[in-house]
Coordinates of all heavy atoms in Angstrom, one line a residue:
M1 N 92.9 110.7 111.1 CA 92.6 110.2 109.9 C 93.5 110.8 108.8 O 93.5 112.1 108.8 CB 91.1 110.4 109.5 CG 90.5 109.1 108.9 SD 88.8 109.6 108.3 CE 88.0 108.9 109.7
V2 N 94.2 110.0 107.9 CA 95.1 110.5 107.0 C 94.5 110.0 105.7 O 94.4 108.8 105.4 CB 96.4 110.1 107.2 CG1 97.4 110.6 106.1 CG2 97.0 110.6 108.6
F3 N 94.4 110.9 104.7 CA 94.0 110.5 103.4 C 95.1 110.9 102.4 O 95.7 112.0 102.4 CB 92.7 111.2 103.0 CG 91.5 110.9 103.7 CD1 91.2 111.7 104.7 CD2 90.8 109.6 103.5 CE1 90.1 111.3 105.4 CE2 89.8 109.3 104.3 CZ 89.3 110.1 105.2
H4 N 95.7 110.0 101.6 CA 96.6 110.3 100.6 C 96.2 109.9 99.3 O 95.4 108.9 99.0 CB 97.9 109.5 100.9 CG 98.7 109.9 101.9 ND1 99.6 111.0 101.9 CD2 98.9 109.6 103.2 CE1 100.3 111.3 102.9 NE2 99.7 110.4 103.8
M5 N 96.4 110.8 98.3 CA 96.1 110.5 96.9 C 97.4 110.2 96.2 O 98.3 111.0 96.2 CB 95.4 111.6 96.2 CG 94.0 111.7 96.9 SD 92.8 112.9 96.1 CE 93.9 114.2 95.4
L6 N 97.5 109.2 95.4 CA 98.8 108.9 94.7 C 98.5 109.0 93.1 O 97.5 108.4 92.7 CB 99.3 107.5 95.0 CG 100.5 107.0 94.3 CD1 101.7 107.9 94.8 CD2 100.8 105.5 94.7
F7 N 99.3 109.7 92.4 CA 99.1 110.0 91.1 C 100.4 109.3 90.4 O 101.6 109.3 90.8 CB 99.2 111.4 90.7 CG 98.1 112.1 91.3 CD1 98.2 112.8 92.5 CD2 96.9 112.2 90.7 CE1 97.2 113.6 93.0 CE2 95.7 112.8 91.2 CZ 95.9 113.5 92.4
Q8 N 100.2 108.5 89.3 CA 101.2 107.8 88.6 C 101.0 108.2 87.1 O 100.0 108.0 86.5 CB 101.1 106.4 88.9 CG 102.2 105.5 88.1 CD 102.1 104.2 88.4 OE1 101.3 103.6 89.1 NE2 102.9 103.3 87.6
L9 N 102.1 108.7 86.5 CA 102.0 109.0 85.2 C 102.9 108.0 84.4 O 104.0 107.7 84.8 CB 102.7 110.5 85.0 CG 101.9 111.6 85.7 CD1 102.7 112.7 85.5 CD2 100.5 111.7 85.3
S10 N 102.3 107.4 83.4 CA 103.1 106.4 82.7 C 102.7 106.5 81.2 O 101.6 107.0 80.9 CB 102.9 104.9 83.2 OG 101.4 104.8 83.1
K11 N 103.6 105.9 80.4 CA 103.3 105.9 79.0 C 103.3 104.4 78.6 O 104.2 103.7 78.9 CB 104.4 106.7 78.2 CG 104.2 106.7 76.7 CD 105.4 107.4 76.0 CE 105.3 107.2 74.5 NZ 106.4 108.0 73.8
P12 N 102.1 103.9 77.9 CA 102.1 102.5 77.6 C 103.3 102.3 76.5 O 103.7 103.0 75.6 CB 100.8 102.4 76.8 CG 100.3 103.7 76.5 CD 101.0 104.7 77.5
L13 N 103.9 101.0 76.7 CA 104.9 100.6 75.8 C 104.4 99.9 74.6 O 103.3 99.1 74.7 CB 105.8 99.6 76.5 CG 106.6 100.1 77.7 CD1 107.3 98.9 78.3 CD2 107.5 101.2 77.2
T14 N 104.8 100.3 73.5 CA 104.4 99.5 72.2 C 105.5 98.6 71.7 O 106.6 99.2 71.4 CB 104.0 100.7 71.2 OG1 103.0 101.6 71.7 CG2 103.4 100.1 70.0
P15 N 105.2 97.4 71.4 CA 106.2 96.7 70.9 C 106.5 96.9 69.4 O 105.7 97.4 68.7 CB 105.6 95.2 71.2 CG 104.2 95.3 71.1 CD 104.0 96.8 71.7
L16 N 107.8 96.6 69.1 CA 108.2 96.8 67.7 C 107.5 96.0 66.8 O 107.1 96.3 65.6 CB 109.7 96.8 67.6 CG 110.5 97.9 68.3 CD1 112.0 97.5 68.1 CD2 110.2 99.2 67.8
D17 N 107.3 94.8 67.1 CA 106.6 93.8 66.4 C 105.1 93.9 66.5 O 104.5 93.7 67.6 CB 107.0 92.3 66.6 CG 106.4 91.3 65.9 OD1 105.7 91.5 64.8 OD2 106.7 90.1 66.3
T18 N 104.2 94.1 65.6 CA 102.8 94.4 65.8 C 102.1 92.9 65.9 O 101.0 92.9 66.3 CB 102.2 95.0 64.6 OG1 102.6 94.3 63.3 CG2 102.8 96.5 64.4
N19 N 102.8 91.9 65.7 CA 102.2 90.6 65.9 C 102.6 90.0 67.2 O 102.5 88.7 67.4 CB 102.6 89.7 64.7 CG 102.0 90.1 63.3 OD1 101.0 90.6 63.3 ND2 102.9 89.9 62.3
F20 N 103.1 90.8 68.1 CA 103.5 90.3 69.3 C 102.3 89.8 70.2 O 101.4 90.4 70.4 CB 104.2 91.5 70.1 CG 104.7 91.2 71.5 CD1 105.7 90.4 71.7 CD2 103.9 91.6 72.6 CE1 106.2 90.0 73.0 CE2 104.3 91.3 73.8 CZ 105.4 90.5 74.1
K21 N 102.6 88.6 70.7 CA 101.5 88.0 71.6 C 102.1 87.8 73.0 O 103.1 87.0 73.2 CB 101.2 86.5 71.1 CG 100.6 86.5 69.7 CD 99.2 87.3 69.6 CE 98.7 87.0 68.2 NZ 98.3 88.2 67.6
P22 N 101.6 88.6 74.0 CA 102.1 88.4 75.3 C 101.9 87.0 75.9 O 100.9 86.4 75.6 CB 101.5 89.5 76.1 CG 100.3 89.9 75.4 CD 100.5 89.5 73.9
T23 N 102.9 86.7 76.7 CA 102.6 85.3 77.4 C 102.8 85.5 78.9 O 103.6 86.3 79.3 CB 103.7 84.2 77.0 OG1 105.0 84.7 77.1 CG2 103.5 84.0 75.3
T24 N 102.3 84.6 79.7 CA 102.5 84.7 81.1 C 102.8 83.2 81.5 O 102.4 82.2 80.8 CB 101.2 85.0 81.8 OG1 100.2 84.2 81.4 CG2 100.8 86.4 81.4
E25 N 103.5 83.1 82.7 CA 103.9 82.0 83.2 C 104.1 82.0 84.7 O 104.5 83.2 85.2 CB 105.2 81.3 82.6 CG 106.5 82.0 82.7 CD 107.6 81.4 82.1 OE1 107.7 81.6 80.9 OE2 108.4 80.8 82.8
E26 N 103.9 81.1 85.5 CA 104.1 81.1 86.9 C 105.6 81.2 87.3 O 106.4 80.3 86.7 CB 103.4 79.9 87.6 CG 103.4 80.0 89.1 CD 102.6 79.0 89.7 OE1 101.6 78.6 89.1 OE2 102.9 78.5 90.8
L27 N 106.0 82.0 88.2 CA 107.3 82.2 88.5 C 107.5 81.6 89.9 O 106.9 82.0 90.9 CB 107.8 83.5 88.6 CG 109.2 83.9 88.9 CD1 110.2 83.3 88.0 CD2 109.4 85.5 89.1
N28 N 108.3 80.5 90.1 CA 108.6 79.9 91.4 C 109.9 80.5 91.9 O 111.1 80.2 91.4 CB 108.8 78.4 91.1 CG 109.0 77.7 92.4 OD1 109.1 78.3 93.5 ND2 109.3 76.3 92.4
L29 N 109.9 81.3 92.9 CA 111.0 81.9 93.4 C 112.0 81.0 94.2 O 113.0 81.4 94.6 CB 110.6 83.2 94.2 CG 110.0 84.3 93.6 CD1 109.7 85.4 94.5 CD2 111.0 84.9 92.4
N30 N 111.4 79.9 94.5 CA 112.2 78.9 95.3 C 113.0 78.0 94.4 O 113.9 77.2 94.8 CB 111.3 77.9 96.1 CG 110.6 78.6 97.1 OD1 111.1 79.6 97.8 ND2 109.4 78.4 97.4
D31 N 112.9 78.2 93.0 CA 113.8 77.3 92.1 C 115.1 78.0 92.1 O 115.3 79.2 91.6 CB 113.0 77.5 90.8 CG 113.7 76.6 89.8 OD1 114.9 76.0 90.1 OD2 113.3 76.5 88.6
P32 N 116.2 77.3 92.4 CA 117.5 77.9 92.3 C 118.0 78.3 91.0 O 118.9 79.0 90.9 CB 118.4 76.8 93.1 CG 117.7 75.5 92.9 CD 116.2 76.0 92.8
S33 N 117.5 77.7 89.9 CA 117.9 77.9 88.6 C 117.6 79.4 88.1 O 118.0 79.9 87.2 CB 117.5 76.9 87.5 OG 116.1 77.0 87.5
I34 N 116.5 80.0 88.9 CA 116.0 81.2 88.5 C 117.1 82.4 88.8 O 117.2 83.4 88.1 CB 114.6 81.6 89.0 CG1 113.7 80.6 88.5 CG2 114.3 83.0 88.9 CD1 112.4 80.8 89.0
A35 N 117.8 82.2 89.8 CA 118.9 83.1 90.3 C 118.4 84.6 90.7 O 119.0 85.5 90.3 CB 119.9 83.2 89.2
I36 N 117.3 84.6 91.4 CA 116.8 85.8 91.9 C 116.8 85.9 93.5 O 116.4 84.9 94.1 CB 115.4 86.1 91.4 CG1 115.5 86.2 89.9 CG2 114.8 87.4 92.1 CD1 114.0 86.5 89.2
H37 N 117.3 86.9 94.1 CA 117.2 87.0 95.5 C 115.9 87.5 95.8 O 115.3 88.4 95.3 CB 118.2 88.0 96.0 CG 119.7 87.6 95.8 ND1 120.4 86.8 96.8 CD2 120.6 87.9 94.9 CE1 121.6 86.6 96.4 NE2 121.7 87.2 95.2
R38 N 115.3 86.9 96.8 CA 113.8 87.2 97.3 C 113.9 88.4 98.1 O 112.9 89.2 98.3 CB 113.2 86.0 98.0 CG 113.0 84.9 97.1 CD 112.3 83.7 97.8 NE 110.9 84.2 98.1 CZ 110.1 83.5 98.7 NH1 110.3 82.2 98.9 NH2 108.8 84.0 99.0
W39 N 114.8 88.9 98.8 CA 114.9 89.9 99.9 C 115.9 90.9 99.4 O 116.9 90.7 98.7 CB 115.3 89.3 101.3 CG 114.3 88.3 101.7 CD1 114.5 86.9 101.7 CD2 113.1 88.4 102.2 NE1 113.3 86.2 102.2 CE2 112.4 87.2 102.4 CE3 112.2 89.6 102.4 CZ2 111.1 87.1 103.0 CZ3 110.9 89.4 103.0 CH2 110.5 88.2 103.3
D40 N 115.5 92.1 99.9 CA 116.4 93.3 99.5 C 116.6 94.1 100.7 O 115.7 94.1 101.7 CB 115.8 94.1 98.4 CG 116.7 95.2 97.9 OD1 117.9 95.2 98.2 OD2 116.1 96.2 97.3
H41 N 117.7 94.8 100.9 CA 117.8 95.8 102.0 C 118.5 97.0 101.4 O 119.1 96.9 100.4 CB 118.7 95.2 103.1 CG 120.2 95.0 102.7 ND1 120.5 93.8 102.0 CD2 121.2 95.7 103.0 CE1 121.8 94.0 101.8 NE2 122.3 95.0 102.3
G42 N 118.3 98.2 102.0 CA 118.9 99.4 101.6 C 118.5 100.6 102.4 O 118.2 100.5 103.6
A43 N 118.6 101.8 101.8 CA 118.4 103.0 102.5 C 117.2 103.6 102.0 O 116.8 103.7 100.8 CB 119.5 104.0 102.2
Y44 N 116.4 104.1 103.0 CA 115.0 104.8 102.7 C 115.0 106.1 103.3 O 115.2 106.3 104.5 CB 113.9 103.9 103.3 CG 112.5 104.3 103.0 CD1 111.8 104.1 101.8 CD2 111.7 105.1 103.8 CE1 110.7 104.5 101.4 CE2 110.6 105.5 103.7 CZ 110.0 105.3 102.4 OH 108.8 105.7 102.2
T45 N 114.6 107.1 102.5 CA 114.6 108.6 103.1 C 113.3 109.2 102.6 O 112.8 108.7 101.4 CB 115.8 109.2 102.8 OG1 115.7 110.5 103.5 CG2 116.0 109.5 101.4
G46 N 112.8 110.2 103.2 CA 111.7 110.9 102.7 C 111.6 112.3 103.4 O 112.4 112.6 104.3
L47 N 110.8 113.2 102.7 CA 110.5 114.4 103.2 C 109.0 114.8 103.0 O 108.5 114.5 101.9 CB 111.4 115.4 102.3 CG 111.3 116.9 102.6 CD1 111.9 117.2 104.0 CD2 112.0 117.7 101.5
E48 N 108.5 115.3 104.0 CA 107.0 115.6 104.0 C 106.8 117.1 104.4 O 107.5 117.7 105.3 CB 106.3 114.8 104.9 CG 104.8 115.0 104.8 CD 103.9 114.0 105.6 OE1 104.5 113.1 106.3 OE2 102.7 114.0 105.6
F49 N 105.9 117.7 103.6 CA 105.6 119.1 104.0 C 104.1 119.2 104.2 O 103.3 118.7 103.6 CB 106.0 120.0 102.9 CG 105.5 121.5 103.1 CD1 106.1 122.3 103.8 CD2 104.5 121.9 102.3 CE1 105.7 123.6 104.0 CE2 103.9 123.1 102.4 CZ 104.6 124.1 103.2
G50 N 103.7 119.8 105.3 CA 102.2 120.0 105.6 C 101.9 121.5 105.8 O 102.7 122.3 106.3
Y51 N 100.7 121.9 105.4 CA 100.3 123.2 105.4 C 98.8 123.3 106.0 O 98.0 122.6 105.4 CB 100.3 123.9 104.0 CG 99.9 125.3 104.0 CD1 100.6 126.4 104.4 CD2 98.6 125.6 103.5 CE1 100.0 127.7 104.4 CE2 98.0 126.9 103.4 CZ 98.8 128.0 104.0 OH 98.3 129.2 104.0
Q52 N 98.7 124.0 107.0 CA 97.4 124.1 107.6 C 96.5 125.1 106.9 O 96.8 126.3 106.8 CB 97.5 124.5 109.1 CG 96.2 124.5 109.9 CD 96.4 124.8 111.4 OE1 97.5 125.1 111.8 NE2 95.2 124.7 112.1
I53 N 95.4 124.6 106.4 CA 94.6 125.5 105.6 C 93.4 126.2 106.6 O 93.0 127.2 106.3 CB 93.9 124.8 104.4 CG1 93.1 123.6 104.8 CG2 94.9 124.5 103.3 CD1 92.5 122.8 103.6
R54 N 93.1 125.5 107.5 CA 92.2 126.0 108.7 C 92.4 124.9 109.8 O 93.0 123.9 109.7 CB 90.8 126.1 108.1 CG 90.1 124.8 107.7 CD 88.7 125.2 107.2 NE 88.0 124.0 107.1 CZ 87.0 123.8 106.2 NH1 86.7 124.8 105.4 NH2 86.3 122.6 106.2
P55 N 91.8 125.3 111.0 CA 92.0 124.4 112.2 C 91.5 122.8 111.8 O 90.5 122.7 111.2 CB 91.1 124.9 113.2 CG 91.0 126.4 112.9 CD 91.0 126.5 111.4
H56 N 92.4 122.0 112.1 CA 92.2 120.5 111.8 C 92.3 120.1 110.4 O 91.9 118.9 110.0 CB 90.9 120.0 112.5 CG 90.8 120.3 114.0 ND1 91.6 119.7 114.9 CD2 90.0 121.3 114.6 CE1 91.2 120.3 116.0 NE2 90.4 121.1 116.0
H57 N 92.6 120.9 109.4 CA 92.6 120.6 108.1 C 94.0 121.0 107.5 O 94.5 122.1 107.6 CB 91.5 121.4 107.3 CG 90.3 121.1 107.7 ND1 89.4 120.1 107.0 CD2 89.3 121.6 108.6 CE1 88.2 120.0 107.5 NE2 88.2 120.9 108.5
Y58 N 94.7 120.0 106.9 CA 96.0 120.3 106.3 C 96.1 119.6 104.9 O 95.4 118.6 104.6 CB 97.0 119.5 107.3 CG 97.0 119.8 108.6 CD1 96.2 119.2 109.5 CD2 97.9 120.9 109.1 CE1 96.2 119.6 110.9 CE2 97.9 121.2 110.5 CZ 97.0 120.6 111.3 OH 97.0 121.0 112.7
L59 N 97.0 120.3 104.2 CA 97.4 119.7 102.8 C 98.7 119.2 103.1 O 99.6 119.9 103.7 CB 97.3 120.8 101.7 CG 96.0 121.4 101.4 CD1 96.1 122.4 100.3 CD2 95.1 120.2 100.9
T60 N 99.1 118.0 102.5 CA 100.5 117.6 102.6 C 101.1 117.2 101.2 O 100.3 116.8 100.3 CB 100.4 116.3 103.4 OG1 99.7 115.3 102.9 CG2 99.9 116.6 104.9
A61 N 102.4 117.3 101.2 CA 103.2 116.8 100.0 C 104.2 116.0 100.5 O 105.0 116.4 101.5 CB 103.6 117.9 99.2
E62 N 104.6 114.9 99.9 CA 105.6 114.0 100.4 C 106.3 113.3 99.3 O 105.7 113.0 98.2 CB 105.0 113.0 101.2 CG 105.9 112.0 101.9 CD 105.2 110.8 102.8 OE1 103.9 110.8 102.6 OE2 105.9 110.1 103.4
T63 N 107.6 113.2 99.4 CA 108.5 112.6 98.6 C 109.4 111.5 99.3 O 109.7 111.8 100.4 CB 109.4 113.5 97.6 OG1 110.1 112.7 96.7 CG2 110.2 114.3 98.5
N64 N 109.6 110.3 98.7 CA 110.4 109.4 99.3 C 111.3 108.7 98.1 O 111.0 108.6 97.0 CB 109.4 108.2 99.8 CG 108.6 108.6 101.0 OD1 109.0 109.1 101.9 ND2 107.3 108.5 100.8
Y65 N 112.4 108.2 98.7 CA 113.4 107.7 97.8 C 114.0 106.3 98.6 O 114.2 106.4 99.7 CB 114.5 108.5 97.6 CG 115.6 107.9 96.6 CD1 115.4 107.7 95.3 CD2 116.8 107.5 97.1 CE1 116.3 107.2 94.4 CE2 117.8 107.0 96.3 CZ 117.6 106.9 95.0 OH 118.5 106.3 94.2
Y66 N 114.1 105.3 97.8 CA 114.6 104.1 98.3 C 115.8 103.6 97.3 O 115.6 103.6 96.1 CB 113.6 103.0 98.4 CG 114.1 101.6 98.7 CD1 114.5 101.2 100.1 CD2 114.3 100.7 97.7 CE1 115.0 100.1 100.5 CE2 114.9 99.4 98.1 CZ 115.2 99.1 99.4 OH 115.7 98.0 99.9
L67 N 116.9 103.2 98.0 CA 118.0 102.7 97.2 C 118.3 101.4 97.8 O 118.9 101.3 99.0 CB 119.2 103.6 97.5 CG 120.6 103.2 96.8 CD1 120.5 103.0 95.4 CD2 121.7 104.2 97.2
G68 N 118.1 100.3 97.0 CA 118.4 99.0 97.4 C 119.9 98.8 97.3 O 120.6 99.2 96.5
K69 N 120.4 97.9 98.3 CA 121.9 97.7 98.4 C 122.2 96.3 97.9 O 123.3 96.0 97.5 CB 122.4 97.9 99.9 CG 122.2 99.3 100.3 CD 122.8 100.2 99.5 CE 124.2 100.4 99.7 NZ 124.9 101.5 98.9
S70 N 121.3 95.3 97.9 CA 121.7 94.0 97.5 C 121.4 93.8 96.0 O 120.6 94.5 95.5 CB 120.9 93.0 98.3 OG 119.6 93.0 98.0
N71 N 122.3 93.0 95.4 CA 122.2 92.6 94.0 C 121.0 91.7 93.9 O 121.1 90.5 94.3 CB 123.5 92.1 93.5 CG 123.5 92.0 92.1 OD1 122.7 92.5 91.4 ND2 124.6 91.5 91.5
I72 N 119.9 92.0 93.2 CA 118.8 91.3 93.1 C 118.9 90.0 92.1 O 118.5 89.0 92.5 CB 117.5 92.1 92.5 CG1 117.3 93.4 93.4 CG2 116.3 91.3 92.4 CD1 116.9 92.9 94.9
D73 N 119.5 90.2 91.0 CA 119.6 89.2 90.1 C 121.1 88.7 90.2 O 122.1 89.4 90.2 CB 119.4 89.8 88.7 CG 119.5 88.7 87.6 OD1 119.7 87.5 87.8 OD2 118.9 89.1 86.5
K74 N 121.2 87.3 90.4 CA 122.6 86.6 90.4 C 123.3 86.7 89.2 O 124.5 86.5 89.1 CB 122.5 85.3 91.0 CG 121.9 85.2 92.4 CD 121.6 83.7 92.8 CE 121.0 83.6 94.2 NZ 120.7 82.3 94.4
L75 N 122.7 86.9 88.0 CA 123.3 86.7 86.8 C 123.6 88.1 86.2 O 124.6 88.4 85.4 CB 122.4 86.1 85.6 CG 122.0 84.8 86.0 CD1 121.0 84.2 85.0 CD2 123.1 83.8 86.2
N76 N 123.0 89.3 86.7 CA 123.3 90.6 86.1 C 123.5 91.5 87.4 O 123.0 91.1 88.5 CB 122.1 91.2 85.3 CG 121.8 90.3 84.1 OD1 122.8 90.1 83.3 ND2 120.6 89.8 83.9
Y77 N 124.0 92.6 87.2 CA 124.2 93.5 88.3 C 122.9 94.5 88.3 O 122.8 95.3 87.5 CB 125.5 94.5 88.0 CG 125.7 95.4 89.2 CD1 126.3 94.9 90.4 CD2 125.5 96.8 89.1 CE1 126.5 95.8 91.5 CE2 125.7 97.6 90.1 CZ 126.2 97.2 91.3 OH 126.5 98.0 92.4
T78 N 122.0 94.2 89.3 CA 120.7 94.9 89.3 C 120.4 95.4 90.7 O 120.6 94.5 91.7 CB 119.6 94.1 88.8 OG1 119.9 93.5 87.6 CG2 118.3 94.7 88.7
K79 N 120.0 96.5 90.9 CA 119.4 96.9 92.4 C 118.3 97.7 92.2 O 118.0 98.3 91.2 CB 120.6 97.9 92.9 CG 121.9 97.2 93.2 CD 122.9 98.2 93.9 CE 124.2 97.5 94.3 NZ 125.0 98.2 95.1
N80 N 117.4 97.6 93.3 CA 116.1 98.2 93.4 C 116.3 99.7 93.6 O 117.1 100.0 94.5 CB 115.2 97.7 94.3 CG 114.7 96.3 93.9 OD1 114.5 96.1 92.7 ND2 114.3 95.5 94.9
R81 N 115.5 100.7 92.9 CA 115.5 102.0 93.2 C 114.0 102.5 93.1 O 113.4 102.0 92.2 CB 116.4 102.9 92.4 CG 117.9 102.5 92.5 CD 118.7 103.6 91.8 NE 120.0 103.4 92.3 CZ 120.9 102.9 91.4 NH1 120.5 102.6 90.1 NH2 122.1 102.7 91.8
S82 N 113.5 103.3 93.9 CA 112.3 103.8 94.0 C 112.2 105.3 94.4 O 112.9 105.7 95.3 CB 111.4 103.0 95.0 OG 110.1 103.6 95.1
L83 N 111.4 106.1 93.6 CA 111.2 107.5 93.9 C 109.7 107.7 93.9 O 109.1 107.3 92.9 CB 111.9 108.4 93.0 CG 111.7 109.9 93.0 CD1 112.3 110.3 94.4 CD2 112.4 110.5 91.9
S84 N 109.1 108.2 94.9 CA 107.7 108.4 94.9 C 107.3 109.7 95.4 O 108.0 110.4 96.1 CB 106.9 107.3 95.8 OG 107.4 107.6 97.2
F85 N 106.2 110.3 94.9 CA 105.6 111.6 95.3 C 104.1 111.4 95.7 O 103.4 110.5 95.1 CB 105.6 112.5 94.1 CG 107.0 112.9 93.6 CD1 107.5 112.1 92.5 CD2 107.9 113.8 94.2 CE1 108.8 112.3 92.0 CE2 109.2 114.0 93.6 CZ 109.5 113.3 92.5
S86 N 103.6 112.0 96.7 CA 102.3 111.9 97.1 C 101.7 113.3 97.5 O 102.4 114.1 98.2 CB 102.0 110.9 98.1 OG 102.6 111.2 99.2
L87 N 100.4 113.6 97.3 CA 99.8 114.7 97.9 C 98.7 114.3 98.7 O 98.1 113.2 98.4 CB 99.1 115.6 96.6 CG 100.2 116.1 95.6 CD1 99.4 116.7 94.4 CD2 101.1 117.1 96.3
G88 N 98.3 114.9 99.8 CA 97.4 114.5 100.6 C 96.6 115.5 101.2 O 96.9 116.6 101.4
Y89 N 95.4 115.1 101.9 CA 94.6 115.9 102.6 C 94.4 115.3 104.0 O 94.1 114.1 104.1 CB 93.2 116.2 101.9 CG 92.2 117.0 102.8 CD1 92.3 118.2 102.9 CD2 91.2 116.2 103.5 CE1 91.4 118.9 103.7 CE2 90.3 117.0 104.3 CZ 90.5 118.4 104.3 OH 89.6 118.9 105.1
V90 N 94.6 116.0 105.1 CA 94.6 115.4 106.4 C 93.5 116.2 107.2 O 93.5 117.4 107.2 CB 96.0 115.5 107.1 CG1 95.8 115.0 108.6 CG2 97.0 114.8 106.4
Y91 N 92.6 115.5 107.8 CA 91.6 116.0 108.7 C 91.9 115.4 110.1 O 91.7 114.1 110.2 CB 90.2 115.8 108.2 CG 89.2 116.3 109.3 CD1 88.8 117.5 109.4 CD2 88.5 115.3 110.1 CE1 87.9 118.0 110.3 CE2 87.6 115.8 111.0 CZ 87.3 117.2 111.1 OH 86.4 117.5 112.0
S92 N 92.4 116.2 111.1 CA 92.5 115.6 112.4 C 91.3 115.7 113.2 O 90.7 116.7 113.3 CB 93.7 116.3 113.1 OG 93.5 117.6 113.2
L93 N 91.1 114.7 114.1 CA 89.9 114.7 115.0 C 90.3 115.3 116.3 O 91.3 115.2 116.8 CB 89.4 113.3 115.2 CG 88.9 112.6 113.8 CD1 88.6 111.2 114.1 CD2 87.8 113.4 113.3

């Protein structure tokens, strides 16, 4: 059994215009006028460290990085990138 806890730190964005009203609309990815690629490919790497605190009990720390290789947006030069960190507690049966 593996338990991971994920922590995300973020700062809320405040619009410059205080009268800003957010809008939502449905996005149809099959529409060719949107010019967005639905699929991405790239390189994924990670590093994990585990420390045994007593028999069958471990603390883990992990980091992962993803670098997308395809251009997501057909109109702009855009690539996906991701960096993640996680801390975990593992109890092995």
Side-chain angles (χ1 to χ4, degrees):
M1 219 184 258
V2 176
F3 296 99
H4 283 280
M5 294 187 328
L6 180 64
F7 297 96
Q8 180 177 358
L9 304 175
S10 62
K11 180 179 176 182
L13 297 176
T14 304
L16 297 176
D17 181 8
T18 56
N19 296 323
F20 177 75
K21 302 286 188 238
T23 61
T24 60
E25 63 182 80
E26 188 173 324
L27 179 62
N28 180 5
L29 293 177
N30 294 322
D31 184 359
S33 66
I34 294 177
I36 295 177
H37 292 275
R38 293 184 65 174
W39 300 100
D40 188 19
H41 67 280
Y44 182 83
T45 185
L47 180 66
E48 183 173 6
F49 172 76
Y51 177 74
Q52 184 175 2
I53 53 177
R54 60 182 196 211
H56 305 290
H57 296 265
Y58 301 88
L59 292 176
T60 63
E62 182 178 9
T63 182
N64 295 302
Y65 180 71
Y66 174 75
L67 174 62
K69 298 306 276 181
S70 65
N71 194 6
I72 300 300
D73 189 343
K74 295 177 186 174
L75 303 175
N76 300 304
Y77 183 75
T78 309
K79 292 188 178 184
N80 283 331
R81 291 193 176 108
S82 171
L83 179 63
S84 65
F85 301 94
S86 65
L87 300 173
Y89 173 79
V90 177
Y91 176 77
S92 62
L93 300 176

